């Protein structure tokens, strides 16, 4: 009985195993990235970046069809260009980083939509842009897994400067010049993970698997490491439970994954140990031995 | 500096949209909503009619986003041919926005609509009828008759030409229908089962007795759930479905995954909702049906 509900879907169907592997790899990379985005007050940057990447992927698709590498390369190029231009403008002009990002991602989006409409063929572009976790082939799975691996390795290397800059940017500037390069490497990782996510979930939902787990982690831990662990774990749980919901109740799988993450977030918001609403209303007794 | 560059880019892009196409003044300007319908109108209208289609070859009319150029085309047209049955969900707003005085001709008038397959579909704006009526040649003949009557009403002087064109084209369709029935009859009845990406072949199934199943439902807009995909895989295993087919208007990845998992063979591409461009092998409706027929026959007979 329990076996039928929780395990059989994956033993019986290969596409479910692939979907699970993809969702797990995605959660592993996106969890820590989301936590750092949140700690740096860049939670909406993921969303803006996803819009910047989308036209690149669409152009790659138009040039060479449903080719994984063309679409990935297109998305990466568009994302990198927007990230670098944003950094340049923010550093050399009066415009702040959020405004610079807003202008460039909107331009990128407009250029992408224009190119698509000029080409005339809109062969179901929605399905390219809303990727499908149920249709992951070997190539796509490998790409997602490779992206997660790269993300974790690079994060391990730049972890120290990133954390210090999150909590005390002034101190970081006085002791080291690694802050700038680390920030750029981090932005690159954001783009890489969004591109992974758009293969599995589509651009809009890719941001969901990044930010919702991070917010969940924030309600349970003050410590960055623990926060990352909780975020990653809730991403994994959301992926697994979302696929099961999609399997048993017949709802589309991408939104199901994000909705499960949303449910986890809402219960964390209420009952979380760190600043959850119920905790705040009933703080409990203090300092008892 | 930045804003000036933005403004320049916007102006350049806007200019691209409004470039007018060259038109022959003496011919009747008509619009067809998608490529297959456009082919019908061309065959009936012949030299007297200039046909433009909104959704071009290989385009997907379920999710089309019209451009300002489309609104201009509709505004200039003397007649607008649409499929109806909820196929072009975006068309009503386009017609209103263009302010056109042209009559809207619903080419499926008089066709008995099928209930759409796959009631698990989640989009409700399409009503309950399956719009892909042209997949049965008998229905295509009704399209042609409707188009002929509408053209005669709009351009009475061309009555003889339209009637003659329609008669010649209807004879071609009769020959096509005979061939379809002949080829299908050669496929053993228990092998007439295939999987496609979205349910575009309900009328073909109804008319010719080939069983089609699709994970995606009638419209390509709804996303398949894990439950739908699992149901289809289970069905393929149980019923020994011989082949799965791709379509030119939908994402092939899902169907490819189903094929990998079941060992069913990928039978090639079926053309469902759109003709191919000049380089493809289905530039007309008759070619499209013959192409699909060849694909089905070679995958199912062997």
């Amino acid at each position: 009985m329990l076996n039928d509900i929780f395990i059989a879907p994956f033993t019986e169907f290969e596409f479910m195993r692939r979907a699970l592997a993809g969702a797990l790899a995605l959660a592993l990379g996106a969890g820590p990235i989301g936590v750092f985005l949140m700690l740096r007050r860049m939670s909406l940057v993921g969303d803006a970046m996803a819009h910047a990447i989308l036209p690149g992927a669409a152009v790659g698709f138009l040039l060479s069809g449903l080719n994984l590498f063309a679409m990935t390369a297109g998305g990466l190029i568009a994302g990198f260009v927007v990230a670098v231009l944003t950094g340049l403008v923010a550093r050399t002009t009066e415009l702040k980083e959020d405004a610079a990002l807003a202008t460039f991602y909107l331009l990128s989006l407009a250029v992408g939509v224009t190119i698509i409409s000029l080409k005339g063929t809109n062969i179901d572009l929605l399905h390219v842009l809303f990727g499908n976790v149920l249709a992951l082939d070997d190539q796509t799975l490998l790409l997602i897994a490779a992206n997660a691996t790269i993300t974790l390795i690079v994060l391990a290397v730049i972890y120290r400067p990133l954390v210090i800059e999150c909590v005390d940017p002034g101190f970081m500037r006085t002791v080291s010049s690694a802050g700038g390069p680390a920030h750029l490497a981090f932005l690159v990782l954001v783009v890489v993970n969004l591109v992974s996510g758009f293969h599995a979930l589509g651009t809009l939902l890719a941001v969901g698997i990044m930010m919702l787990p991070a917010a969940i982690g924030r309600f349970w831990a003050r410590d960055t490491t623990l926060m990352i662990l909780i975020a990653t774990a809730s991403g994994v749980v959301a992926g697994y439970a979302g696929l099961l919901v999609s399997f048993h109740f017949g709802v589309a799988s991408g939104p199901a994954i994000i909705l499960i993450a949303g449910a986890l977030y809402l219960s964390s918001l209420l009952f979380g140990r760190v600043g959850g609403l119920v905790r705040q209303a009933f703080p409990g007794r203090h300092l008892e031995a | 500096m930045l804003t000036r560059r933005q403004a320049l880019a916007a102006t350049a892009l806007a200019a691209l949209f409004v470039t007018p196409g060259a038109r022959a003044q003496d011919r009747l300007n008509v619009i067809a909503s998608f490529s297959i319908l456009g082919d019908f109108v061309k065959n009936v209208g012949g030299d007297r009619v200039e046909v433009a289609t909104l959704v071009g070859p290989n385009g997907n009319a379920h999710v089309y986003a019209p451009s300002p150029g489309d609104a201009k085309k509709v505004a200039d047209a003397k007649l607008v041919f649409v499929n109806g049955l909820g196929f072009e969900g975006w068309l009503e707003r386009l017609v209103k926005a263009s302010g056109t005085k042209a009559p809207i001709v619903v080419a499926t008038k008089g066709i008995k609509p099928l209930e759409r397959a796959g009631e698990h579909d989640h989009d409700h704006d399409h009503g309950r009828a399956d719009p892909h009526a042209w997949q049965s040649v008998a229905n295509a003949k009704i399209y042609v008759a409707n188009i002929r009557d509408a053209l005669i009403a709009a351009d009475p002087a061309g009555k003889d030409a339209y009637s003659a064109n329609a008669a010649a084209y209807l004879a071609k369709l009769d020959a096509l229908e005979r061939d379809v029935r002949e080829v299908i009859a050669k496929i053993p009845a228990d092998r007439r089962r295939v999987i496609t990406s979205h349910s575009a072949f309900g009328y073909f199934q109804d008319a010719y007795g080939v069983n089609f199943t699709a994970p995606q439902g009638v419209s390509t807009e709804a996303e398949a759930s894990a439950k739908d995909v699992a149901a289809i895989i289970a069905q393929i295993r149980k019923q020994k479905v011989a082949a799965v087919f791709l379509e030119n208007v939908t994402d092939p990845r899902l169907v490819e995954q189903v094929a990998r998992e079941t060992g069913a063979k990928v039978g090639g591409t079926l053309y469902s909702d759109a003709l191919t461009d000049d380089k493809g092998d289905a530039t007309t409706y008759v070619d499209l049906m013959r192409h699909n027929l060849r694909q089905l026959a070679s995958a199912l007979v062997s």
Side-chain angles (χ1 to χ4, degrees):
Chain A
M1 178 62 199
L2 283 181
N3 176 53
D4 279 352
I5 295 176
F6 293 109
I7 300 170
F10 298 99
T11 51
E12 197 176 334
F13 294 105
E14 190 195 334
F15 80 91
M16 289 294 282
R17 288 198 293 280
R18 286 171 178 275
L20 186 63
L24 295 192
L26 204 57
L28 283 179
I33 293 288
V35 168
F36 281 115
L37 280 174
M38 180 184 66
L39 290 180
R40 313 184 130 225
R41 305 181 184 205
M42 292 166 66
S43 294
L44 288 174
V45 165
D47 200 30
M49 272 298 178
H51 283 85
I53 289 169
L54 183 149
V59 169
F61 170 76
L62 284 181
L63 290 181
S64 52
L66 214 54
N67 178 321
L68 182 73
F69 294 102
M71 284 163 61
T72 304
L76 289 177
I77 290 170
F80 291 163
V81 167
V82 169
V84 169
L85 285 180
T86 300
L88 281 180
V89 169
R91 242 144 257 200
T92 54
T93 71
E94 289 289 303
L95 221 52
K96 293 280 180 287
E97 182 147 15
D98 62 330
L101 179 60
T103 53
F104 283 118
Y105 101 73
L106 288 167
L107 271 181
S108 171
L109 191 61
V111 168
V113 173
T114 307
I115 292 175
I116 292 161
S117 75
L118 284 182
K119 273 292 258 202
T121 144
N122 65 337
I123 154 178
D124 219 359
L125 219 48
L126 273 179
H127 280 264
V128 179
L129 305 180
F130 290 75
N132 197 334
V133 72
L134 302 177
L136 297 176
D137 53 14
D138 289 352
Q139 275 185 343
T140 317
L141 260 187
L142 281 175
L143 181 89
I144 295 174
N147 281 353
T149 313
I150 293 170
T151 301
L152 292 179
I153 292 173
V154 175
L155 268 186
V157 173
I158 62 172
Y159 188 74
R160 230 157 229 286
L162 266 190
V163 173
I164 297 174
E165 210 182 40
C166 285
V167 293
D168 192 346
F171 172 71
M172 181 68 200
R173 268 196 297 277
T174 59
V175 296
S176 162
S177 58
H183 182 67
L184 195 64
F186 175 69
L187 280 182
V188 169
L189 287 186
V190 173
V191 173
V192 164
N193 275 277
L194 286 172
V195 170
S196 263
F198 103 79
H199 284 304
L201 294 170
T203 31
L204 296 177
L205 298 178
V207 186
I209 201 67
M210 204 171 259
M211 296 323 301
L212 282 168
I216 294 169
R218 190 72 187 80
F219 279 110
W220 294 100
R222 291 189 193 281
D223 172 64
T224 317
T225 319
L226 193 57
M227 213 183 286
I228 288 175
L229 285 179
I230 292 172
T232 309
S234 41
V236 168
V237 170
Y240 172 73
L243 285 174
L244 281 182
V245 167
S246 173
F247 185 86
H248 291 298
F249 300 105
V251 293
S253 37
I257 293 174
I258 302 304
L259 282 176
I260 295 284
L264 290 176
Y265 167 70
L266 286 180
S267 43
S268 303
L269 176 70
L270 287 176
F271 305 112
R273 259 179 356 139
V274 181
L277 293 176
V278 175
R279 280 278 159 168
Q280 284 187 34
F282 309 101
R285 285 177 290 179
H286 281 280
L287 296 173
E288 265 184 281
Chain B
M1 190 59 213
L2 185 74
T3 47
R4 191 183 305 161
R5 212 179 298 162
Q6 274 173 305
L8 275 176
T11 320
L13 291 175
L16 287 172
F17 277 119
V18 294
T19 313
R23 282 191 308 271
Q25 287 302 326
D26 49 338
R27 301 210 275 181
L28 190 65
N29 254 318
V30 305
I31 291 280
S33 61
F34 69 115
S35 53
I36 293 172
L37 192 55
D39 183 50
F40 290 149
V41 178
K42 257 177 232 159
N43 273 292
V44 178
D47 295 339
R48 300 182 65 90
V49 171
E50 181 75 28
V51 189
T53 56
L54 296 178
V55 184
N58 291 325
N60 183 347
H62 289 290
V63 292
Y64 185 69
S67 69
D70 290 337
K72 192 169 183 317
K73 278 194 230 167
V74 170
D76 294 348
K78 291 279 184 296
L79 275 176
V80 179
F81 289 97
V82 303
N83 184 70
L85 301 178
F87 186 57
E88 310 95 335
W90 40 271
L91 195 101
E92 199 180 323
R93 269 179 294 171
L94 178 68
V95 166
K96 262 196 207 128
S98 72
T100 182
K101 300 271 185 303
I104 310 296
V105 182
V106 178
T108 52
K109 201 179 72 185
I111 288 174
K112 188 171 165 290
L114 286 178
E115 288 280 302
R116 53 198 296 178
E119 282 302 312
H120 55 274
D121 234 67
H122 297 300
D123 53 322
H124 299 288
D125 55 335
H126 278 209
R128 298 255 72 90
D130 178 349
H132 307 92
W134 60 88
Q135 287 292 344
S136 140
V137 181
N139 285 343
K141 292 197 288 196
I142 300 180
Y143 278 76
V144 170
N146 284 334
I147 291 166
R148 178 194 58 204
D149 297 345
L151 285 176
I152 292 175
D155 175 24
K159 184 173 185 224
D160 293 344
Y162 296 139
S163 298
N165 289 344
Y169 190 56
L170 284 172
K172 261 198 215 171
L173 292 182
D174 281 330
L176 175 66
E177 169 122 47
R178 270 196 304 279
D179 291 350
V180 173
R181 291 190 183 282
E182 207 170 286
V183 171
I184 302 281
K186 282 187 202 142
I187 303 171
D190 61 336
R191 285 186 64 84
R192 293 179 199 160
R193 294 177 199 283
V194 292
I195 305 282
T196 54
S197 358
H198 88 293
S199 311
F201 298 94
Y203 292 89
F204 194 97
Q205 170 172 331
D206 194 55
Y208 309 115
V210 176
N211 197 318
F212 287 85
T213 312
Q216 229 184 357
V218 172
S219 169
T220 58
E221 278 172 71
E223 210 181 308
S225 74
K227 190 181 188 179
D228 304 332
V229 179
I232 280 186
I233 290 173
Q235 187 189 357
I236 297 178
R237 286 178 183 158
K238 207 166 74 211
Q239 299 184 333
K240 312 233 177 320
V241 173
V244 300
F245 284 92
L246 314 176
E247 291 168 42
N248 58 337
V249 297
T250 54
D251 182 353
R253 288 175 292 194
L254 197 55
V255 166
E256 278 166 357
Q257 172 64 34
V258 169
R260 260 199 312 275
E261 188 154 349
T262 54
K265 110 175 114 171
V266 177
T269 301
L270 289 184
Y271 299 132
S272 56
D273 294 15
L275 302 174
T276 60
D277 56 19
D278 291 341
K279 279 172 267 161
D281 41 15
T283 52
T284 68
Y285 171 76
V286 173
D287 288 347
L288 173 140
M289 292 300 281
R290 290 192 188 280
H291 168 91
N292 287 353
L293 194 61
R294 269 197 308 279
Q295 296 278 329
L296 284 172
S298 69
L300 298 184
V301 169
S302 57

